[in-house]
Amino acid sequence: MIARHLEANGIPTVVMGCARDIVESTGVARFFWSDFPLGHSAGKPHDTTSQAATLSGALSLFDAAQAQITVASPQIWAEDERWKEDFMSVAALDPETLARMKAAHEQDRATLGKIKSSDAG
């Protein structure tokens, strides 16, 4: 919605994303789509080559696209597409792994809470 507002006021935008159906339904002008898990629209984590390629692909839309367009990134998340079935699925996790992940999440939340508290004060 922000991109549409900016576009209506003469400011070109490019949206990068992974949820193609959702983003396209909003009617953005230029969309650089990566067939990656949600949350990874800027490229693979800790992979500066993937991130740079994603940014380069998205920025190229400013030069090439004058009309509403979706361009698919040529990058792939993994050779085997089974990640689409397994990504973020807790069904296959054993109780110990699930407990470890939950503890790490709670630690992250506590750290974020401390950061927010120090920023407010």
Side-chain angles (χ1 to χ4, degrees):
M1 296 177 92
I2 293 170
R4 285 179 31 209
H5 176 76
L6 292 171
E7 290 278 343
N9 287 284
I11 301 170
T13 63
V14 172
V15 173
M16 298 179 347
C18 299
R20 186 175 191 162
D21 55 340
I22 295 169
V23 176
E24 286 181 335
S25 73
T26 66
V28 297
R30 292 165 211 83
F31 176 37
F32 191 76
W33 173 67
S34 296
D35 191 14
F36 285 178
L38 294 178
H40 298 285
S41 57
K44 294 180 180 179
H46 313 293
D47 184 340
T48 56
T49 302
S50 170
Q51 295 163 5
T54 301
L55 181 60
S56 177
L59 291 175
S60 72
L61 293 182
F62 281 117
D63 294 331
Q66 298 302 318
Q68 187 172 353
I69 187 170
T70 295
V71 173
S73 171
Q75 297 183 72
I76 60 170
W77 183 257
E79 292 295 327
D80 184 342
E81 290 202 7
R82 282 184 284 177
W83 68 266
K84 293 178 182 184
E85 299 167 12
D86 295 335
F87 189 76
M88 301 289 287
S89 173
V90 297
L93 297 176
D94 60 82
E96 293 81 19
T97 301
L98 195 54
R100 195 170 46 253
M101 292 173 75
K102 182 178 179 182
H105 174 72
E106 293 301 324
Q107 179 63 43
D108 289 346
R109 287 182 56 139
T111 301
L112 181 59
K114 290 177 186 175
I115 292 170
K116 287 182 176 180
S117 296
S118 68
D119 286 348

